[in-house]
Amino acid sequence: MSAANQVTEQQRQRLLTGHSALSHREMVRYWLLSEEDIKRINGRRREHNRLGYAVQLCLLRYPGWPLKTDEPPPPNLLKYVGQQFGADTVEFADYAKRDNTRQEHQLLIIKEYRFRQYGPAHSPLLRMHLESEALSTDSAFTLVESAMEWLRERRVILPALATLESVVRSVRSKVERDIYWRLFNRLEENHRTELNKLLVLGPSRGSLLGWLRHVPRSCSAAGILDLMQRLNWVRGSGIPGELAEGIAQNRIAQLAARGGRPSVSHFRRSPP
């Protein structure tokens, strides 16, 4: 997966096609038509137009984008919508032949229901929302899902998935830098000196960091004693316990997991 692609191919398919496998409860939540909806739908003269109008309205509500040219609607949506006002789903074939009608209905729905196209005015607000979310998770998939839901709640038609991935990539980088600097700036000079000692190579047992990372070979008395010695070293290092205050616990766990991967030599080659 490239840096530009924030989600895997499997996750991308889930985001783009997940609405075709909604449960009945989810279809009720997203696609249940109100009396006002039915009134507007019945304002279309022919059954295939009523069905097409209803399908487009539901797709704009969820997943949040319009029906494209020659795109068949999900069978579950077509069936559920048809049941709500007694339309025969086979009528959609006639609607699909009339692209001009599809476009006219799309513009009409956007106007009547006050949908808005995604634009520069939404980007900074979306970033603010995602920066708040990213304090507790670094999952790109979760953040893309959150962005889509945030836009849907505001009746903003979703942009291309690549656009949302770009926003999420930028937000993740910014929040990660902010968290690093927040942790760094809370350290006094003596704390930084103690942490730097972890990378110093000793004459016999290597570095302190390597010793702290070492896992005992067995749950023997000697192994437990060894663990206690390392725990006592950490407690006596003087690093303040409130260092991570205000940062979500799972974010700290993610940083710890990431910090546990590089070797001591990798850390030593990193710029100060």
Side-chain angles (χ1 to χ4, degrees):
M1 184 172 64
S2 67
N5 296 329
Q6 293 291 286
V7 296
T8 66
E9 185 58 35
Q10 183 178 8
Q11 290 171 334
R12 179 173 286 100
Q13 290 304 310
R14 180 177 168 185
L15 292 168
L16 294 176
T17 65
H19 59 288
S20 63
L22 294 180
S23 66
H24 179 74
R25 179 177 294 183
E26 289 170 324
M27 288 194 292
V28 170
R29 175 186 176 187
Y30 295 119
W31 294 336
L32 181 65
L33 299 169
S34 68
E35 290 183 7
E36 181 62 27
D37 294 335
I38 299 293
K39 182 179 177 181
R40 289 180 173 175
I41 290 167
N42 285 334
R44 308 302 107 199
R45 289 185 299 173
R46 298 179 181 177
E47 186 168 334
H48 62 264
N49 284 335
R50 290 192 288 272
L51 186 60
Y53 182 97
V55 164
Q56 291 219 70
L57 172 60
C58 289
L59 284 175
L60 281 168
R61 285 175 171 167
Y62 190 88
W65 53 75
L67 190 70
K68 299 179 178 64
T69 303
D70 296 328
E71 178 189 8
N76 60 333
L77 169 60
L78 196 57
K79 180 180 178 181
Y80 182 66
V81 166
Q83 289 174 343
Q84 293 186 65
F85 58 94
D88 188 344
T89 57
V90 299
E91 291 287 334
F92 191 84
D94 287 336
Y95 185 79
K97 297 174 184 176
R98 297 168 170 81
D99 195 54
N100 287 339
T101 303
R102 179 193 63 82
Q103 294 182 49
E104 290 172 5
H105 284 180
Q106 186 181 118
L107 294 175
L108 183 61
I109 292 169
I110 289 173
K111 179 180 179 181
E112 289 184 340
Y113 287 89
R114 298 182 180 179
F115 285 100
R116 294 171 291 171
Q117 298 289 345
Y118 179 82
H122 302 109
S123 182
L125 298 175
L126 177 59
R127 286 182 60 89
M128 287 176 59
H129 166 72
L130 291 176
E131 285 173 13
S132 176
E133 293 289 303
L135 290 174
S136 59
T137 180
D138 188 47
S139 167
F141 179 73
T142 299
L143 292 174
V144 170
E145 278 194 314
S146 180
M148 295 170 76
E149 186 60 30
W150 187 89
L151 292 169
R152 281 193 289 259
E153 288 174 353
R154 288 153 183 79
R155 297 188 184 182
V156 178
I157 299 173
L158 270 57
L161 184 54
T163 300
L164 296 180
E165 285 187 277
S166 177
V167 174
V168 165
R169 181 178 67 252
S170 174
V171 166
R172 290 176 72 198
S173 297
K174 179 182 183 301
V175 170
E176 185 173 284
R177 289 194 304 270
D178 289 348
I179 290 175
Y180 284 152
W181 279 112
R182 188 185 303 185
L183 293 171
F184 180 80
N185 289 330
R186 289 176 179 178
L187 293 170
E188 303 292 342
E189 188 60 37
N190 61 309
H191 300 146
R192 298 170 191 171
T193 300
E194 286 298 313
L195 290 173
N196 284 332
K197 289 180 181 178
L198 291 173
L199 304 180
V200 176
L201 296 176
S204 58
R205 63 179 186 181
S207 67
L208 271 173
L209 180 59
W211 172 65
L212 288 171
R213 285 177 166 181
H214 179 69
V215 179
R217 296 178 181 177
S218 65
C219 294
S220 63
I224 293 174
L225 180 61
D226 192 21
L227 283 173
M228 291 176 65
Q229 288 175 338
R230 277 176 269 175
L231 180 60
N232 287 334
W233 185 94
V234 172
R235 288 175 172 172
S237 65
I239 305 300
E242 63 275 11
L243 182 67
E245 187 175 326
I247 302 174
Q249 188 60 43
N250 58 340
R251 251 301 187 174
I252 295 299
Q254 289 167 355
L255 292 177
R258 185 175 301 177
R261 289 194 288 266
S263 65
V264 174
S265 59
H266 277 93
F267 278 123
R268 288 172 59 84
R269 290 197 296 268
S270 299

